[in-house]
Amino acid sequence: MRSCTVLPFILASLALPAAAQDTFTPEKLGVEAHIAEGPNVLVLDQSWNGPSKIDVLGADEGLKMKGNMGPGTTAQMVLSRDGKSLYTGSVYMQRFVYGPVTVILHEWDLATLSRKREFEIPAKFAHVESQPGLFALSDDEAYLLAQNATPATSVSVIDLKAEKAIAEIPTPGCWTAIPATGMKFTTICGDGTLASYAWAADGSFAEPKKSAKIFDPDADALFANPVRAEGKLIYLSFNGNLYVIDDSGEAPVLAETVKLTDGVIGKWAPGGSEAIAYNAATGKLFILMHSGAKEGSHKDPAQEIWTVDLASKKVVGRSPAHHENTLAVSKGDAPVLFAASEEGNLTRYAYAEADGEVTLTKAGEFEGLSSFPALITTDF
């Protein structure tokens, strides 16, 4: 025969003491009007199966998460020069596997992580890995340049004040739109040349001005996204060479090439998605490098970060890396580096220089931040 004392015991054990009920205070949830003050690092975690996200972290050693913004699929981003506005371009699909898509340009307020405005841009927008040369502000920040692929390549020129595309400039065989001085951009082409394109406020544009052949795409291909240093573009090659390009004239011109790996043991070469960064205040280039380089290893993660002094064109530091494939550096006199790995970890590196030798030391890490090769930028 079953006991009847079990049920009263259970009910009694579930009852809360009167004192506990009297002291219970419900938690009040709210939304902060602004993110915490201080410098920030922004990391785009680009998604191909749903919304992308941009995480905003404090740039100090704690790398504290401040919040995030959520554009659509296959997003690209670019931060305004003053660090106040973030622009994103992203795709919204009605059926994902077929049917129409809508591409939206968002302008976000970084201080509040809120949308300031949004409007539609051409649906030819390229659905590709995030890269700085695919979504960039013009020299005066009045226009935004968006890479298209249908798969034919072209660049949409977006008038930010008018909130519309004023031109689609065909760029056959070429990729990226790197802003140059004035209303002009430079692009890299598959035949080993570079080309400059100019446009006008009424949407008209000139014929491209192409360079002579600058690099051999079979023997020494270039990473498509350069850095701009002292007015010139610096492209990095798969073999570890620097190509310094002057695009201030009508057509780009090769100004200089620099070999970084001559005499280095171990077949070192650059690798990753964004493998080069530049800090103008110190005149230093930073490059993600790996050993045992071979055909196809230009995507391999970094074993070291090399520091190159731009004035002397010499390697002045080799520091341990942590399997990263994306690199960014702050703009100030005391540079701080940030690098992301395919495993989703963001690493912060502190910079020190003594007797002309540069050392980069791990000084913070945020694990599990992104699930795709990340695009990183800073507002300081």
Side-chain angles (χ1 to χ4, degrees):
M1 183 175 180
R2 297 181 180 176
S3 171
C4 296
T5 61
V6 177
L7 183 58
F9 173 78
I10 294 174
L11 294 175
S13 67
L14 292 176
L16 292 173
Q21 295 179 19
D22 293 340
T23 59
F24 176 76
T25 303
E27 182 181 1
K28 293 183 179 180
L29 301 178
V31 178
E32 293 184 0
H34 298 84
I35 63 174
E37 294 184 359
N40 302 296
V41 54
L42 287 70
V43 181
L44 169 60
D45 182 13
Q46 187 194 57
S47 175
W48 287 61
N49 60 359
S52 306
K53 66 183 176 75
I54 296 129
D55 291 312
V56 181
L57 297 90
D60 59 13
E61 292 187 12
L63 291 175
K64 183 179 179 181
M65 178 70 72
K66 294 186 179 183
N68 53 59
M69 294 163 278
T73 303
T74 59
Q76 305 284 347
M77 74 172 183
V78 61
L79 187 65
S80 63
R81 195 174 291 116
D82 63 11
K84 294 181 179 180
S85 292
L86 181 76
Y87 297 91
T88 62
S90 56
V91 178
Y92 293 84
M93 307 180 188
Q94 291 188 20
R95 297 292 183 270
F96 266 89
V97 292
Y98 69 92
V101 301
T102 302
V103 180
I104 300 296
L105 187 149
H106 286 102
E107 181 182 359
W108 307 81
D109 176 48
L110 186 57
T112 61
L113 306 185
S114 60
R115 291 187 305 275
K116 295 171 70 173
R117 58 175 172 156
E118 62 181 72
F119 56 91
E120 193 170 340
I121 62 175
K124 294 181 179 182
F125 184 77
H127 303 199
V128 292
E129 177 188 323
S130 54
Q131 298 174 42
L134 305 183
F135 195 74
L137 289 165
S138 63
D139 182 52
D140 62 0
E141 299 196 339
Y143 302 90
L144 194 144
L145 306 172
Q147 179 71 56
N148 299 322
T150 57
T153 54
S154 65
V155 171
S156 288
V157 179
I158 314 298
D159 185 324
L160 291 174
K161 184 177 180 180
E163 299 187 350
K164 65 178 183 179
I166 61 167
E168 180 190 347
I169 303 177
T171 57
C174 306
W175 190 246
T176 68
I178 310 300
T181 301
M183 298 166 71
K184 190 172 76 167
F185 67 84
T186 298
T187 184
I188 185 172
C189 307
D191 60 0
T193 66
L194 278 77
S196 288
Y197 290 81
W199 74 92
D202 63 1
S204 61
F205 51 89
E207 290 295 315
K209 305 298 183 182
K210 295 202 72 172
S211 72
K213 186 171 181 177
I214 286 176
F215 67 99
D216 187 330
D218 295 315
D220 198 25
L222 304 186
F223 290 89
N225 294 280
V227 294
R228 190 171 287 281
E230 299 177 358
K232 295 182 174 62
L233 294 177
I234 300 181
Y235 282 88
L236 178 66
S237 83
F238 290 5
N239 293 328
N241 300 316
L242 301 177
Y243 288 71
V244 183
I245 308 297
D246 184 351
D247 64 346
S248 61
E250 278 199 344
V253 176
L254 177 64
E256 185 180 6
T257 57
V258 180
K259 294 183 179 295
L260 299 178
T261 57
D262 280 359
V264 176
I265 299 172
K267 291 186 177 180
W268 286 83
S273 177
E274 302 307 320
I276 186 171
Y278 174 66
N279 174 262
T282 60
K284 299 295 192 296
L285 293 164
F286 304 95
I287 302 172
L288 298 178
M289 301 289 290
H290 64 278
S291 63
K294 58 185 184 298
E295 180 72 25
S297 71
H298 62 281
K299 293 186 178 182
D300 284 6
Q303 295 169 292
E304 292 183 355
I305 302 175
W306 288 16
T307 303
V308 178
D309 180 71
L310 191 58
S312 66
K313 308 297 191 301
K314 300 292 184 184
V315 176
V316 295
R318 294 177 57 174
S319 303
H322 298 83
H323 209 243
E324 296 99 345
N325 60 11
T326 304
L327 184 67
V329 65
S330 65
K331 306 171 186 67
D333 295 339
V336 181
L337 279 78
F338 299 91
S341 70
E342 285 190 349
E343 291 77 24
N345 298 334
L346 179 73
T347 300
R348 179 185 189 274
Y349 290 92
Y351 174 100
E353 185 172 358
D355 299 324
E357 186 77 11
V358 172
T359 303
L360 305 175
T361 306
K362 183 177 179 179
E365 183 179 37
F366 195 110
E367 296 184 358
L369 192 63
S370 63
S371 56
F372 201 78
L375 186 62
I376 308 171
T377 190
T378 71
D379 65 357
F380 69 106

